Short mmCIF file of all heavy atoms in Angstrom, two decimals:
data_model
loop_
_atom_site.label_atom_id
_atom_site.label_comp_id
_atom_site.label_asym_id
_atom_site.label_seq_id
_atom_site.Cartn_x
_atom_site.Cartn_y
_atom_site.Cartn_z
N GLY A 185 6.75 27.23 19.88
CA GLY A 185 8.20 27.32 20.09
C GLY A 185 8.95 26.09 19.59
O GLY A 185 10.17 26.11 19.41
N MET A 186 8.23 25.01 19.38
CA MET A 186 8.86 23.78 18.89
C MET A 186 9.46 24.02 17.50
O MET A 186 8.91 24.73 16.69
CB MET A 186 7.77 22.71 18.80
CG MET A 186 8.22 21.36 18.44
SD MET A 186 6.72 20.30 18.52
CE MET A 186 7.41 18.79 17.89
N ARG A 187 10.64 23.41 17.26
CA ARG A 187 11.31 23.61 15.98
C ARG A 187 11.43 22.29 15.23
O ARG A 187 11.60 21.23 15.84
CB ARG A 187 12.72 24.18 16.20
CG ARG A 187 12.73 25.62 16.70
CD ARG A 187 12.40 26.58 15.55
NE ARG A 187 12.10 27.92 16.00
CZ ARG A 187 10.86 28.37 16.27
NH1 ARG A 187 9.82 27.59 16.15
NH2 ARG A 187 10.67 29.61 16.67
N VAL A 188 11.36 22.38 13.90
CA VAL A 188 11.53 21.19 13.06
C VAL A 188 12.58 21.49 12.00
O VAL A 188 12.54 22.55 11.37
CB VAL A 188 10.20 20.78 12.38
CG1 VAL A 188 10.42 19.62 11.41
CG2 VAL A 188 9.14 20.41 13.41
N VAL A 189 13.52 20.58 11.84
CA VAL A 189 14.53 20.71 10.79
C VAL A 189 14.38 19.51 9.85
O VAL A 189 14.24 18.37 10.31
CB VAL A 189 15.96 20.72 11.38
CG1 VAL A 189 17.02 20.73 10.28
CG2 VAL A 189 16.15 21.93 12.30
N ASN A 190 14.38 19.76 8.56
CA ASN A 190 14.27 18.66 7.59
C ASN A 190 15.54 18.58 6.75
O ASN A 190 15.95 19.58 6.16
CB ASN A 190 13.06 18.89 6.68
CG ASN A 190 12.79 17.70 5.79
OD1 ASN A 190 13.01 16.56 6.19
ND2 ASN A 190 12.31 17.94 4.58
N ILE A 191 16.15 17.41 6.73
CA ILE A 191 17.42 17.25 6.02
C ILE A 191 17.22 16.27 4.87
O ILE A 191 17.06 15.06 5.08
CB ILE A 191 18.51 16.75 6.99
CG1 ILE A 191 18.68 17.76 8.14
CG2 ILE A 191 19.83 16.55 6.24
CD1 ILE A 191 19.51 17.26 9.29
N ASP A 192 17.15 16.78 3.67
CA ASP A 192 16.85 15.96 2.49
C ASP A 192 17.37 16.72 1.28
O ASP A 192 17.17 17.94 1.20
CB ASP A 192 15.31 15.78 2.41
CG ASP A 192 14.90 14.70 1.41
OD1 ASP A 192 15.42 14.69 0.28
OD2 ASP A 192 14.03 13.89 1.76
N PRO A 193 18.03 16.05 0.34
CA PRO A 193 18.49 16.78 -0.85
C PRO A 193 17.32 17.41 -1.61
O PRO A 193 17.49 18.43 -2.27
CB PRO A 193 19.14 15.70 -1.72
CG PRO A 193 19.37 14.52 -0.84
CD PRO A 193 18.38 14.63 0.30
N ARG A 194 16.13 16.79 -1.50
CA ARG A 194 14.96 17.31 -2.21
C ARG A 194 14.14 18.18 -1.29
O ARG A 194 14.14 18.01 -0.09
CB ARG A 194 14.05 16.16 -2.63
CG ARG A 194 14.59 15.25 -3.67
CD ARG A 194 13.47 14.35 -4.17
NE ARG A 194 12.82 13.61 -3.10
CZ ARG A 194 11.52 13.30 -3.09
NH1 ARG A 194 10.73 13.67 -4.07
NH2 ARG A 194 11.02 12.60 -2.10
N ARG A 195 13.32 19.03 -1.90
CA ARG A 195 12.24 19.65 -1.15
C ARG A 195 11.05 18.70 -1.26
O ARG A 195 10.68 18.28 -2.34
CB ARG A 195 11.90 21.01 -1.79
CG ARG A 195 11.08 21.87 -0.89
CD ARG A 195 10.53 23.13 -1.48
NE ARG A 195 9.30 23.40 -0.76
CZ ARG A 195 9.27 23.92 0.46
NH1 ARG A 195 10.37 24.29 1.05
NH2 ARG A 195 8.12 24.09 1.09
N THR A 196 10.48 18.33 -0.12
CA THR A 196 9.35 17.38 -0.14
C THR A 196 8.18 17.98 0.61
O THR A 196 8.29 19.05 1.20
CB THR A 196 9.74 16.07 0.56
OG1 THR A 196 9.95 16.36 1.95
CG2 THR A 196 10.98 15.44 -0.03
N ALA A 197 7.08 17.24 0.65
CA ALA A 197 5.92 17.69 1.42
C ALA A 197 6.29 17.89 2.88
O ALA A 197 5.69 18.71 3.58
CB ALA A 197 4.79 16.67 1.29
N THR A 198 7.30 17.16 3.35
CA THR A 198 7.72 17.27 4.74
C THR A 198 8.38 18.62 5.02
O THR A 198 8.32 19.13 6.15
CB THR A 198 8.69 16.11 5.07
OG1 THR A 198 8.01 14.89 4.76
CG2 THR A 198 9.09 16.09 6.52
N SER A 199 8.99 19.20 3.99
CA SER A 199 9.68 20.48 4.17
C SER A 199 8.71 21.54 4.68
O SER A 199 9.11 22.52 5.31
CB SER A 199 10.29 20.97 2.85
OG SER A 199 10.93 19.93 2.17
N ASP A 200 7.44 21.32 4.38
CA ASP A 200 6.42 22.29 4.73
C ASP A 200 6.36 22.60 6.23
O ASP A 200 6.04 23.71 6.64
CB ASP A 200 5.08 21.73 4.26
CG ASP A 200 3.98 22.71 4.46
OD1 ASP A 200 4.09 23.79 3.87
OD2 ASP A 200 3.06 22.41 5.23
N LEU A 201 6.66 21.60 7.03
CA LEU A 201 6.58 21.77 8.49
C LEU A 201 7.87 22.35 9.06
O LEU A 201 7.92 22.75 10.22
CB LEU A 201 6.30 20.39 9.11
CG LEU A 201 5.93 20.31 10.58
CD1 LEU A 201 4.60 21.01 10.82
CD2 LEU A 201 5.83 18.85 11.02
N ALA A 202 8.92 22.37 8.22
CA ALA A 202 10.25 22.64 8.76
C ALA A 202 10.53 24.13 8.93
O ALA A 202 10.19 24.94 8.06
CB ALA A 202 11.31 22.02 7.86
N ASP A 203 11.15 24.47 10.06
CA ASP A 203 11.65 25.83 10.24
C ASP A 203 12.94 26.00 9.45
O ASP A 203 13.23 27.07 8.94
CB ASP A 203 11.91 26.08 11.73
CG ASP A 203 10.64 25.91 12.53
OD1 ASP A 203 9.81 26.82 12.51
OD2 ASP A 203 10.46 24.84 13.15
#
Side-chain angles (χ1 to χ4, degrees):
M186 185 177 174
R187 290 285 167 267
V188 175
V189 175
N190 188 34
I191 301 169
D192 193 313
R194 292 192 304 146
R195 195 188 151 78
T196 66
T198 304
S199 315
D200 185 60
L201 191 64
D203 300 283

